Amino acid sequence: MTFARPDHTSDLDTLPRMPVWVTSARAETLEDVAFLSGAALNHLHLVLGRAEVPQALLRDRLALRAAEACVAFSGRPERAAELRDAVHLLRPGDLPGPAGEICLAWGRAVERPVSVKALGRAFPTLAPGQIAAWLDAGQGAPVTRAAMVLEAVLTEAPRAEVAALILADVALTQALGWEYVVPLLAAGLKRADLRMQGEELRLSCHRALLSSAIEAVRQASDLARRAAHLKAVAPKLRAKGAGNAVEMFLTRDAVAPSALPLPDRAARRLCDRLVALGAVRELTGRDSFRLYGV
């Protein structure tokens, strides 16, 4: 068998692409799917080690994708646009609502290095001992460990799907030696998969990780190009505080002008300037209450 070499096509596309034999393979048995998911995770591991990937931004965008999946599992209609609104347009004293709470939980889970204490911000109603006990339920190889944690949480607390999926990703993160949670499982699983156990659940987790790792690599490549462009145009920005604003765009999925470290009018002008330069996008399509992102 001949393996294709990673494709390095241009200075702005330097990340190695996922091999075609991973993305195009069709596997059914646990052994075959496990082999492919392992190859995909290994490739993602290499990509995550690249300096040009905006790590925090990638995690935040994957967290939004995971939150969207969890909201769909709960039967609610909100999707990415509504979740962004629920989180980024909150005013002091406002409640984010059930869907917003899910999105906030995922966002908090990925923003700090993995620890039981840090996870307490994502799960304020869970005792640290409970979080640790569920994580300890996972043993063995990375994907098996994640599946065991997922099964343990849902067996004990069938309605705690968000906590189960976040902690399963935490278990995977710890097994792979990553410092931060990279949301992968939720977006690749189906609602029916959460009722599975044992080998069936492991097979579903392998399939989920195969598809999600492929998507994460694609997003990493896209965000690396976009981040490089934003950094290239940053010297053209003369507004005071523009440097800090650029850093916010490089770490967050979406930013409201009111969150930028500039006066309101200057913040809106900066966002319009960045859109004109092709460095950020307006994400809502609205004339007011706009959100921007790389």
Side-chain angles (χ1 to χ4, degrees):
M1 180 179 293
T2 301
F3 297 117
R5 296 178 63 185
D7 185 10
H8 303 270
T9 57
S10 74
D11 290 341
L12 290 179
D13 189 16
T14 60
L15 297 182
R17 297 182 181 180
M18 187 75 73
V20 174
W21 58 267
V22 174
T23 59
S24 63
R26 295 292 180 267
E28 296 297 330
T29 68
L30 177 58
E31 181 182 19
D32 289 343
V33 178
F35 171 77
L36 291 171
S37 74
L41 286 170
N42 180 68
H43 190 88
L44 176 59
H45 179 81
L46 297 175
V47 168
L48 292 177
R50 299 291 288 262
E52 59 265 49
V53 176
Q55 306 285 342
L57 174 56
L58 176 63
R59 293 195 305 272
D60 205 35
R61 194 145 289 177
L62 293 175
L64 175 67
R65 188 166 178 256
E68 188 177 30
C70 288
V71 169
F73 290 156
S74 72
R76 299 190 61 86
E78 293 92 343
R79 294 299 178 262
E82 291 83 7
L83 294 177
R84 283 180 173 135
D85 285 354
V87 170
H88 297 289
L89 300 182
L90 272 181
R91 293 174 297 184
D94 284 352
L95 296 176
E101 288 285 3
I102 291 173
C103 196
L104 285 171
W106 276 103
R108 290 166 181 160
V110 304
E111 66 185 1
R112 297 186 180 184
V114 171
S115 70
V116 171
K117 182 178 180 181
L119 289 169
R121 297 184 69 253
F123 310 120
T125 61
L126 291 179
Q130 179 65 82
I131 295 173
W134 277 336
L135 288 174
D136 286 343
Q139 303 292 329
V143 181
T144 298
R145 186 169 167 179
M148 290 175 71
V149 170
L150 182 61
E151 183 175 342
V153 178
L154 291 177
T155 297
E156 189 171 338
R159 297 174 65 87
E161 293 168 342
V162 176
L165 288 161
I166 290 177
L167 291 178
D169 272 330
V170 170
L172 183 72
T173 292
Q174 292 175 324
L176 293 172
W178 295 345
E179 186 178 5
Y180 291 85
V181 178
V182 179
L184 294 172
L185 276 167
L189 289 169
K190 298 180 176 63
R191 182 71 180 84
D193 294 332
L194 302 183
R195 296 191 291 271
M196 294 179 177
Q197 295 181 332
E199 186 172 306
E200 280 191 331
L201 181 58
R202 290 200 305 277
L203 178 60
S204 292
C205 286
H206 278 295
R207 284 182 173 143
L209 290 168
L210 173 58
S211 64
S212 290
I214 290 171
E215 173 61 17
V217 168
R218 186 199 67 76
Q219 286 205 33
S221 181
D222 180 58
L223 290 176
R225 288 192 298 270
R226 293 177 181 275
H229 182 52
L230 175 56
K231 291 175 183 177
V233 305
K236 300 179 182 180
L237 307 172
R238 298 202 174 114
K240 186 177 180 180
N244 291 332
V246 167
E247 285 303 312
M248 291 178 67
F249 283 114
L250 288 171
T251 57
R252 302 186 187 184
D253 163 69
V255 179
S258 60
L260 296 175
L262 293 89
D264 186 57
R265 184 174 296 179
R268 291 199 301 271
R269 282 201 304 267
L270 176 66
C271 290
D272 290 341
R273 173 73 169 145
L274 288 170
V275 170
L277 291 168
V280 303
R281 298 168 292 162
E282 201 288 310
L283 300 172
T284 70
R286 297 188 295 246
D287 293 329
S288 59
F289 299 104
R290 289 180 161 186
L291 298 172
Y292 299 83
V294 172

